[in-house]
């Protein structure tokens, strides 16, 4: 099933290009856009960003690090945080990702990304059980450059519907499965 991802996108360059960036994904934001792109980074890379969204004290933070293991393999880790808090409402979401990518030849790569998601929601100082909790998700991607200057990709985010489990054992889907097939 093809659908738009419900996750907040990361990286200013990638956000400006929209979903098409998944076919380039050649920096530390590849953990979100297409983990297969990590194999094309080719150097250690660290990225950090901070935003106060809409000047409404909604904090948006992102940290990522890519470590090439060889000319054909790379691993990466990132942390994304979104949060808001005042005297009545306190919301936070933290997502931790670990990704691996492998390049086959000079034109094809594949990658996988495992994520741990944690959410918290308090209303007037009381934890709202439904909507708070933690869970795991899985993303995968393929990136190909069949001709110089043409890149195509296939990315599946939240392949098994990322769920969180609350303190009372209840589960709720946070991010539904989404598929992208961009080209650039």
């Amino acid at each position: 099933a093809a659908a738009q991802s419900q996750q907040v996108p990361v990286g200013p360059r990638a956000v400006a290009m929209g979903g098409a960036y998944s076919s380039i994904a050649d920096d530390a934001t590849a953990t979100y856009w297409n983990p297969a792109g990590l194999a094309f980074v080719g150097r250690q890379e660290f990225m950090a960003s901070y935003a106060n969204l809409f000047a409404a004290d909604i904090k948006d933070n992102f940290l990522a690090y890519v470590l090439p293991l060889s000319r054909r393999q790379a691993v990466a880790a990132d942390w994304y945080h979104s949060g808001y808090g005042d005297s009545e409402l306190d919301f936070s979401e933290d997502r931790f990702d670990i990704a691996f990518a492998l390049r086959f030849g000079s034109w094809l790569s594949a990658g996988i990304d495992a994520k741990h998601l944690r959410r918290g929601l308090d209303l007037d100082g009381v934890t709202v059980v439904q909507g708070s909790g933690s869970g795991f998700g899985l993303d995968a991607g393929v990136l190909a450059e069949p001709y110089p200057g043409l890149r195509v990709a296939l990315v599946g985010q939240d392949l098994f519907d990322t769920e969180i489990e609350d303190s009372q054992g209840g589960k709720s889907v946070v991010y539904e499965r989404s598929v992208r097939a961009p080209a650039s």
Side-chain angles (χ1 to χ4, degrees):
Q4 181 70 26
S5 175
Q6 297 165 338
Q7 296 181 51
V8 175
V10 296
R13 176 180 172 216
V15 170
M17 292 182 68
Y21 190 75
S22 297
S23 63
I24 297 172
D26 60 358
D27 65 13
T29 64
T31 53
Y32 172 84
W33 292 99
N34 185 350
L38 293 168
F40 290 96
V41 174
R43 65 197 173 286
Q44 289 187 57
E45 186 171 300
F46 175 76
M47 179 181 186
S49 66
Y50 166 82
N52 179 352
L53 300 177
F54 314 111
D57 288 332
I58 301 170
K59 306 298 189 244
D60 193 59
N61 303 294
F62 180 70
L63 293 171
Y65 177 70
V66 179
L67 176 65
L69 301 175
S70 70
R71 291 173 33 148
R72 299 189 182 279
Q73 300 178 31
V75 294
D78 75 16
W79 167 70
Y80 168 79
H81 169 78
S82 181
Y84 174 81
D86 65 14
S87 62
E88 297 173 4
L89 176 66
D90 188 18
F91 170 81
S92 67
E93 176 176 299
D94 288 287
R95 186 179 70 230
F96 301 93
D97 293 90
I98 297 176
F100 174 77
L102 178 63
R103 190 166 44 171
F104 306 94
S106 62
W107 64 278
L108 179 67
S109 68
I112 191 161
D113 177 76
K115 68 181 95 175
H116 179 258
L117 179 67
R118 197 173 53 209
R119 275 191 173 176
L121 179 61
D122 293 336
L123 186 58
D124 289 330
V126 177
T127 298
V128 178
V129 174
Q130 189 172 13
S132 297
S134 63
F136 294 92
L138 187 67
D139 303 340
V142 176
L143 181 59
E145 189 171 3
Y147 301 103
L150 172 64
R151 282 189 157 190
V152 294
L154 180 62
V155 180
Q157 279 188 309
D158 304 294
L159 294 173
F160 306 105
D161 291 337
T162 300
E163 296 179 327
I164 59 171
E165 184 173 351
D166 62 40
S167 61
Q168 296 177 346
K171 291 185 178 185
S172 57
V173 174
V174 177
Y175 299 132
E176 294 178 352
R177 174 181 37 245
S178 66
V179 177
R180 288 189 302 276
S184 61

